[in-house]
mmCIF file of all heavy atoms in Angstrom:
data_model
loop_
_atom_site.group_PDB
_atom_site.id
_atom_site.type_symbol
_atom_site.label_atom_id
_atom_site.label_comp_id
_atom_site.label_asym_id
_atom_site.label_seq_id
_atom_site.Cartn_x
_atom_site.Cartn_y
_atom_site.Cartn_z
ATOM 1 N N ALA A 238 -29.318 -80.600 -37.334
ATOM 2 C CA ALA A 238 -28.920 -80.298 -35.947
ATOM 3 C C ALA A 238 -28.336 -81.468 -35.183
ATOM 4 O O ALA A 238 -27.694 -81.351 -34.134
ATOM 5 C CB ALA A 238 -30.142 -79.733 -35.122
ATOM 6 N N MET A 239 -28.527 -82.710 -35.706
ATOM 7 C CA MET A 239 -28.097 -83.951 -35.073
ATOM 8 C C MET A 239 -26.771 -84.407 -35.669
ATOM 9 O O MET A 239 -26.237 -85.461 -35.235
ATOM 10 C CB MET A 239 -29.135 -85.042 -35.290
ATOM 11 C CG MET A 239 -30.410 -84.771 -34.608
ATOM 12 S SD MET A 239 -31.596 -86.029 -35.009
ATOM 13 C CE MET A 239 -33.067 -85.432 -34.190
ATOM 14 N N VAL A 240 -26.159 -83.665 -36.614
ATOM 15 C CA VAL A 240 -24.947 -84.126 -37.308
ATOM 16 C C VAL A 240 -23.733 -83.421 -36.665
ATOM 17 O O VAL A 240 -23.750 -82.233 -36.444
ATOM 18 C CB VAL A 240 -25.029 -83.809 -38.790
ATOM 19 C CG1 VAL A 240 -23.780 -84.154 -39.545
ATOM 20 C CG2 VAL A 240 -26.213 -84.633 -39.429
ATOM 21 N N ASN A 241 -22.701 -84.204 -36.416
ATOM 22 C CA ASN A 241 -21.458 -83.640 -35.846
ATOM 23 C C ASN A 241 -20.560 -82.991 -36.906
ATOM 24 O O ASN A 241 -20.881 -82.940 -38.103
ATOM 25 C CB ASN A 241 -20.711 -84.692 -35.072
ATOM 26 C CG ASN A 241 -20.190 -85.880 -35.902
ATOM 27 O OD1 ASN A 241 -20.030 -85.724 -37.075
ATOM 28 N ND2 ASN A 241 -19.953 -86.992 -35.229
ATOM 29 N N GLY A 242 -19.351 -82.617 -36.518
ATOM 30 C CA GLY A 242 -18.436 -81.925 -37.387
ATOM 31 C C GLY A 242 -17.853 -82.841 -38.501
ATOM 32 O O GLY A 242 -17.210 -82.365 -39.382
ATOM 33 N N PHE A 243 -18.076 -84.149 -38.472
ATOM 34 C CA PHE A 243 -17.659 -85.043 -39.437
ATOM 35 C C PHE A 243 -18.738 -85.430 -40.453
ATOM 36 O O PHE A 243 -18.594 -86.298 -41.292
ATOM 37 C CB PHE A 243 -17.066 -86.341 -38.858
ATOM 38 C CG PHE A 243 -15.907 -86.083 -37.891
ATOM 39 C CD1 PHE A 243 -16.039 -86.233 -36.615
ATOM 40 C CD2 PHE A 243 -14.683 -85.627 -38.478
ATOM 41 C CE1 PHE A 243 -14.977 -85.941 -35.754
ATOM 42 C CE2 PHE A 243 -13.625 -85.323 -37.603
ATOM 43 C CZ PHE A 243 -13.766 -85.499 -36.253
ATOM 44 N N GLY A 244 -19.898 -84.792 -40.323
ATOM 45 C CA GLY A 244 -21.051 -85.065 -41.174
ATOM 46 C C GLY A 244 -21.827 -86.355 -40.819
ATOM 47 O O GLY A 244 -22.559 -86.891 -41.602
ATOM 48 N N LEU A 245 -21.546 -86.836 -39.570
ATOM 49 C CA LEU A 245 -22.204 -88.064 -39.144
ATOM 50 C C LEU A 245 -23.208 -87.738 -38.019
ATOM 51 O O LEU A 245 -23.005 -86.821 -37.271
ATOM 52 C CB LEU A 245 -21.120 -89.043 -38.587
ATOM 53 C CG LEU A 245 -19.953 -89.372 -39.516
ATOM 54 C CD1 LEU A 245 -18.934 -90.195 -38.773
ATOM 55 C CD2 LEU A 245 -20.473 -90.077 -40.813
ATOM 56 N N ALA A 246 -24.207 -88.641 -37.898
ATOM 57 C CA ALA A 246 -25.126 -88.484 -36.843
ATOM 58 C C ALA A 246 -24.388 -88.612 -35.546
ATOM 59 O O ALA A 246 -23.579 -89.539 -35.329
ATOM 60 C CB ALA A 246 -26.238 -89.522 -36.876
ATOM 61 N N HIS A 247 -24.582 -87.622 -34.603
ATOM 62 C CA HIS A 247 -23.868 -87.606 -33.290
ATOM 63 C C HIS A 247 -24.310 -88.851 -32.502
ATOM 64 O O HIS A 247 -25.533 -89.149 -32.496
ATOM 65 C CB HIS A 247 -24.234 -86.342 -32.517
ATOM 66 C CG HIS A 247 -23.432 -86.102 -31.393
ATOM 67 N ND1 HIS A 247 -23.580 -86.850 -30.204
ATOM 68 C CD2 HIS A 247 -22.448 -85.208 -31.094
ATOM 69 C CE1 HIS A 247 -22.743 -86.434 -29.325
ATOM 70 N NE2 HIS A 247 -22.079 -85.404 -29.812
ATOM 71 N N GLY A 248 -23.374 -89.510 -31.928
ATOM 72 C CA GLY A 248 -23.697 -90.738 -31.178
ATOM 73 C C GLY A 248 -24.673 -90.529 -30.074
ATOM 74 O O GLY A 248 -25.475 -91.447 -29.693
ATOM 75 N N GLY A 249 -24.703 -89.313 -29.478
ATOM 76 C CA GLY A 249 -25.638 -89.023 -28.432
ATOM 77 C C GLY A 249 -27.122 -89.156 -28.907
ATOM 78 O O GLY A 249 -28.018 -89.589 -28.195
ATOM 79 N N TYR A 250 -27.344 -88.714 -30.156
ATOM 80 C CA TYR A 250 -28.681 -88.857 -30.678
ATOM 81 C C TYR A 250 -29.052 -90.316 -30.978
ATOM 82 O O TYR A 250 -30.229 -90.650 -30.858
ATOM 83 C CB TYR A 250 -28.833 -87.975 -31.976
ATOM 84 C CG TYR A 250 -28.863 -86.518 -31.653
ATOM 85 C CD1 TYR A 250 -27.797 -85.719 -31.870
ATOM 86 C CD2 TYR A 250 -30.010 -85.932 -31.061
ATOM 87 C CE1 TYR A 250 -27.800 -84.304 -31.623
ATOM 88 C CE2 TYR A 250 -30.076 -84.599 -30.754
ATOM 89 C CZ TYR A 250 -28.929 -83.761 -31.006
ATOM 90 O OH TYR A 250 -28.969 -82.467 -30.724
ATOM 91 N N LEU A 251 -28.078 -91.059 -31.441
ATOM 92 C CA LEU A 251 -28.319 -92.482 -31.671
ATOM 93 C C LEU A 251 -28.673 -93.203 -30.383
ATOM 94 O O LEU A 251 -29.610 -94.021 -30.290
ATOM 95 C CB LEU A 251 -27.138 -93.097 -32.354
ATOM 96 C CG LEU A 251 -26.709 -92.592 -33.661
ATOM 97 C CD1 LEU A 251 -25.458 -93.207 -34.222
ATOM 98 C CD2 LEU A 251 -27.831 -92.582 -34.691
ATOM 99 N N PHE A 252 -27.899 -92.818 -29.357
ATOM 100 C CA PHE A 252 -28.140 -93.431 -27.932
ATOM 101 C C PHE A 252 -29.585 -93.020 -27.533
ATOM 102 O O PHE A 252 -30.313 -93.841 -26.981
ATOM 103 C CB PHE A 252 -27.085 -92.898 -27.040
ATOM 104 C CG PHE A 252 -27.200 -93.567 -25.680
ATOM 105 C CD1 PHE A 252 -26.413 -94.652 -25.298
ATOM 106 C CD2 PHE A 252 -28.049 -93.058 -24.659
ATOM 107 C CE1 PHE A 252 -26.487 -95.268 -24.073
ATOM 108 C CE2 PHE A 252 -28.200 -93.565 -23.424
ATOM 109 C CZ PHE A 252 -27.371 -94.666 -23.108
ATOM 110 N N LEU A 253 -29.884 -91.733 -27.717
ATOM 111 C CA LEU A 253 -31.159 -91.251 -27.295
ATOM 112 C C LEU A 253 -32.314 -91.963 -27.988
ATOM 113 O O LEU A 253 -33.332 -92.274 -27.324
ATOM 114 C CB LEU A 253 -31.244 -89.685 -27.571
ATOM 115 C CG LEU A 253 -32.481 -89.003 -27.067
ATOM 116 C CD1 LEU A 253 -32.063 -87.558 -26.590
ATOM 117 C CD2 LEU A 253 -33.605 -88.903 -28.065
ATOM 118 N N LEU A 254 -32.236 -92.219 -29.235
ATOM 119 C CA LEU A 254 -33.240 -92.931 -29.977
ATOM 120 C C LEU A 254 -33.415 -94.349 -29.373
ATOM 121 O O LEU A 254 -34.531 -94.767 -29.091
ATOM 122 C CB LEU A 254 -32.885 -92.983 -31.444
ATOM 123 C CG LEU A 254 -33.931 -93.837 -32.282
ATOM 124 C CD1 LEU A 254 -35.322 -93.318 -32.273
ATOM 125 C CD2 LEU A 254 -33.382 -94.005 -33.717
ATOM 126 N N ALA A 255 -32.279 -95.039 -29.151
ATOM 127 C CA ALA A 255 -32.335 -96.347 -28.615
ATOM 128 C C ALA A 255 -32.918 -96.361 -27.187
ATOM 129 O O ALA A 255 -33.728 -97.207 -26.835
ATOM 130 C CB ALA A 255 -30.973 -96.948 -28.603
ATOM 131 N N ASP A 256 -32.482 -95.395 -26.409
ATOM 132 C CA ASP A 256 -32.948 -95.226 -25.021
ATOM 133 C C ASP A 256 -34.422 -94.963 -24.982
ATOM 134 O O ASP A 256 -35.181 -95.414 -24.077
ATOM 135 C CB ASP A 256 -32.205 -94.083 -24.345
ATOM 136 C CG ASP A 256 -32.492 -93.954 -22.879
ATOM 137 O OD1 ASP A 256 -32.402 -94.907 -22.150
ATOM 138 O OD2 ASP A 256 -32.825 -92.831 -22.447
ATOM 139 N N THR A 257 -34.953 -94.266 -25.989
ATOM 140 C CA THR A 257 -36.379 -93.955 -26.056
ATOM 141 C C THR A 257 -37.148 -95.203 -26.272
ATOM 142 O O THR A 257 -38.185 -95.523 -25.552
ATOM 143 C CB THR A 257 -36.700 -92.904 -27.149
ATOM 144 O OG1 THR A 257 -35.996 -91.728 -26.844
ATOM 145 C CG2 THR A 257 -38.160 -92.658 -27.330
ATOM 146 N N ALA A 258 -36.743 -96.067 -27.216
ATOM 147 C CA ALA A 258 -37.444 -97.336 -27.530
ATOM 148 C C ALA A 258 -37.337 -98.228 -26.221
ATOM 149 O O ALA A 258 -38.333 -98.889 -25.846
ATOM 150 C CB ALA A 258 -36.791 -98.079 -28.721
ATOM 151 N N PHE A 259 -36.201 -98.232 -25.594
ATOM 152 C CA PHE A 259 -36.037 -98.956 -24.343
ATOM 153 C C PHE A 259 -37.026 -98.509 -23.284
ATOM 154 O O PHE A 259 -37.747 -99.327 -22.663
ATOM 155 C CB PHE A 259 -34.538 -98.772 -23.880
ATOM 156 C CG PHE A 259 -34.268 -99.069 -22.417
ATOM 157 C CD1 PHE A 259 -34.435 -100.344 -21.890
ATOM 158 C CD2 PHE A 259 -33.807 -98.026 -21.609
ATOM 159 C CE1 PHE A 259 -34.107 -100.609 -20.568
ATOM 160 C CE2 PHE A 259 -33.526 -98.298 -20.303
ATOM 161 C CZ PHE A 259 -33.664 -99.615 -19.779
ATOM 162 N N ALA A 260 -37.172 -97.200 -23.120
ATOM 163 C CA ALA A 260 -38.062 -96.625 -22.135
ATOM 164 C C ALA A 260 -39.493 -97.087 -22.390
ATOM 165 O O ALA A 260 -40.267 -97.454 -21.438
ATOM 166 C CB ALA A 260 -37.971 -95.126 -22.114
ATOM 167 N N TYR A 261 -39.964 -97.017 -23.569
ATOM 168 C CA TYR A 261 -41.332 -97.443 -23.911
ATOM 169 C C TYR A 261 -41.572 -98.932 -23.727
ATOM 170 O O TYR A 261 -42.604 -99.358 -23.314
ATOM 171 C CB TYR A 261 -41.718 -96.893 -25.301
ATOM 172 C CG TYR A 261 -42.055 -95.476 -25.322
ATOM 173 C CD1 TYR A 261 -41.060 -94.509 -25.323
ATOM 174 C CD2 TYR A 261 -43.379 -95.006 -25.228
ATOM 175 C CE1 TYR A 261 -41.349 -93.158 -25.284
ATOM 176 C CE2 TYR A 261 -43.706 -93.653 -25.213
ATOM 177 C CZ TYR A 261 -42.640 -92.699 -25.242
ATOM 178 O OH TYR A 261 -42.950 -91.390 -25.180
ATOM 179 N N ALA A 262 -40.591 -99.697 -24.073
ATOM 180 C CA ALA A 262 -40.650 -101.154 -23.882
ATOM 181 C C ALA A 262 -40.731 -101.508 -22.384
ATOM 182 O O ALA A 262 -41.556 -102.294 -21.948
ATOM 183 C CB ALA A 262 -39.489 -101.872 -24.543
ATOM 184 N N CYS A 263 -39.856 -100.942 -21.570
ATOM 185 C CA CYS A 263 -39.827 -101.307 -20.189
ATOM 186 C C CYS A 263 -40.932 -100.696 -19.359
ATOM 187 O O CYS A 263 -41.134 -101.153 -18.179
ATOM 188 C CB CYS A 263 -38.392 -101.121 -19.554
ATOM 189 S SG CYS A 263 -37.813 -99.519 -19.432
ATOM 190 N N ASN A 264 -41.620 -99.730 -19.831
ATOM 191 C CA ASN A 264 -42.791 -99.103 -19.087
ATOM 192 C C ASN A 264 -44.107 -99.712 -19.643
ATOM 193 O O ASN A 264 -45.137 -99.126 -19.304
ATOM 194 C CB ASN A 264 -42.727 -97.571 -19.268
ATOM 195 C CG ASN A 264 -41.710 -97.030 -18.291
ATOM 196 O OD1 ASN A 264 -42.058 -96.892 -17.073
ATOM 197 N ND2 ASN A 264 -40.552 -96.728 -18.729
ATOM 198 N N SER A 265 -44.034 -100.685 -20.526
ATOM 199 C CA SER A 265 -45.278 -101.154 -21.219
ATOM 200 C C SER A 265 -46.206 -101.960 -20.259
ATOM 201 O O SER A 265 -47.333 -102.213 -20.728
ATOM 202 C CB SER A 265 -44.878 -102.068 -22.346
ATOM 203 O OG SER A 265 -44.169 -103.217 -21.917
ATOM 204 N N ARG A 266 -45.806 -102.268 -19.094
ATOM 205 C CA ARG A 266 -46.686 -103.049 -18.168
ATOM 206 C C ARG A 266 -47.261 -102.215 -17.027
ATOM 207 O O ARG A 266 -47.599 -102.710 -15.973
ATOM 208 C CB ARG A 266 -45.932 -104.260 -17.679
ATOM 209 C CG ARG A 266 -45.658 -105.252 -18.786
ATOM 210 C CD ARG A 266 -45.084 -106.539 -18.218
ATOM 211 N NE ARG A 266 -44.889 -107.548 -19.271
ATOM 212 C CZ ARG A 266 -43.899 -107.641 -20.078
ATOM 213 N NH1 ARG A 266 -42.846 -106.841 -19.898
ATOM 214 N NH2 ARG A 266 -43.819 -108.549 -20.959
ATOM 215 N N ASP A 267 -47.265 -100.880 -17.231
ATOM 216 C CA ASP A 267 -47.860 -99.934 -16.247
ATOM 217 C C ASP A 267 -47.091 -99.902 -14.912
ATOM 218 O O ASP A 267 -47.769 -99.737 -13.902
ATOM 219 C CB ASP A 267 -49.326 -100.271 -16.078
ATOM 220 C CG ASP A 267 -50.105 -99.099 -15.356
ATOM 221 O OD1 ASP A 267 -49.605 -97.991 -15.347
ATOM 222 O OD2 ASP A 267 -51.073 -99.406 -14.674
ATOM 223 N N SER A 268 -45.808 -100.027 -15.000
ATOM 224 C CA SER A 268 -45.005 -99.862 -13.774
ATOM 225 C C SER A 268 -43.872 -98.969 -14.191
ATOM 226 O O SER A 268 -43.113 -99.264 -15.082
ATOM 227 C CB SER A 268 -44.452 -101.205 -13.304
ATOM 228 O OG SER A 268 -43.612 -101.043 -12.176
ATOM 229 N N VAL A 269 -43.824 -97.752 -13.565
ATOM 230 C CA VAL A 269 -42.745 -96.791 -13.886
ATOM 231 C C VAL A 269 -41.416 -97.465 -13.753
ATOM 232 O O VAL A 269 -41.043 -97.966 -12.732
ATOM 233 C CB VAL A 269 -42.866 -95.500 -13.101
ATOM 234 C CG1 VAL A 269 -41.693 -94.618 -13.333
ATOM 235 C CG2 VAL A 269 -44.148 -94.792 -13.374
ATOM 236 N N THR A 270 -40.639 -97.501 -14.834
ATOM 237 C CA THR A 270 -39.327 -98.129 -14.861
ATOM 238 C C THR A 270 -38.352 -97.177 -15.415
ATOM 239 O O THR A 270 -38.590 -96.600 -16.532
ATOM 240 C CB THR A 270 -39.374 -99.452 -15.672
ATOM 241 O OG1 THR A 270 -40.408 -100.238 -15.152
ATOM 242 C CG2 THR A 270 -38.054 -100.164 -15.621
ATOM 243 N N VAL A 271 -37.212 -96.981 -14.780
ATOM 244 C CA VAL A 271 -36.164 -96.052 -15.239
ATOM 245 C C VAL A 271 -34.924 -96.853 -15.486
ATOM 246 O O VAL A 271 -34.736 -97.976 -14.992
ATOM 247 C CB VAL A 271 -35.933 -94.968 -14.201
ATOM 248 C CG1 VAL A 271 -37.189 -94.078 -13.966
ATOM 249 C CG2 VAL A 271 -35.490 -95.586 -12.859
ATOM 250 N N ALA A 272 -34.030 -96.243 -16.263
ATOM 251 C CA ALA A 272 -32.771 -96.901 -16.610
ATOM 252 C C ALA A 272 -31.873 -97.001 -15.351
ATOM 253 O O ALA A 272 -31.697 -96.030 -14.649
ATOM 254 C CB ALA A 272 -32.044 -96.149 -17.664
ATOM 255 N N ALA A 273 -31.284 -98.176 -15.189
ATOM 256 C CA ALA A 273 -30.301 -98.386 -14.139
ATOM 257 C C ALA A 273 -28.937 -98.453 -14.774
ATOM 258 O O ALA A 273 -27.958 -98.119 -14.137
ATOM 259 C CB ALA A 273 -30.614 -99.704 -13.357
ATOM 260 N N ALA A 274 -28.844 -98.875 -16.024
ATOM 261 C CA ALA A 274 -27.588 -98.995 -16.791
ATOM 262 C C ALA A 274 -27.955 -99.147 -18.237
ATOM 263 O O ALA A 274 -29.011 -99.598 -18.603
ATOM 264 C CB ALA A 274 -26.807 -100.212 -16.275
ATOM 265 N N ALA A 275 -26.996 -98.695 -19.065
ATOM 266 C CA ALA A 275 -27.166 -98.851 -20.548
ATOM 267 C C ALA A 275 -25.830 -98.777 -21.218
ATOM 268 O O ALA A 275 -24.919 -98.048 -20.767
ATOM 269 C CB ALA A 275 -28.067 -97.850 -21.097
ATOM 270 N N ASP A 276 -25.652 -99.588 -22.242
ATOM 271 C CA ASP A 276 -24.420 -99.615 -23.035
ATOM 272 C C ASP A 276 -24.879 -99.576 -24.500
ATOM 273 O O ASP A 276 -25.924 -100.044 -24.897
ATOM 274 C CB ASP A 276 -23.650 -100.892 -22.848
ATOM 275 C CG ASP A 276 -23.109 -101.008 -21.425
ATOM 276 O OD1 ASP A 276 -22.267 -100.192 -21.053
ATOM 277 O OD2 ASP A 276 -23.434 -101.961 -20.761
ATOM 278 N N VAL A 277 -24.003 -99.003 -25.339
ATOM 279 C CA VAL A 277 -24.213 -98.976 -26.789
ATOM 280 C C VAL A 277 -22.958 -99.285 -27.509
ATOM 281 O O VAL A 277 -21.883 -98.948 -27.100
ATOM 282 C CB VAL A 277 -24.828 -97.566 -27.197
ATOM 283 C CG1 VAL A 277 -23.785 -96.494 -27.073
ATOM 284 C CG2 VAL A 277 -25.402 -97.567 -28.599
#
């Protein structure tokens, strides 16, 4: 379900995985932190 028409992982899913790790890292000090910007 994550593969596009070229048989490659869709970039949106790769971004989502990275964004998830980012979210858990920046919320690790018990202060709700949300993304202000992101690049991939």
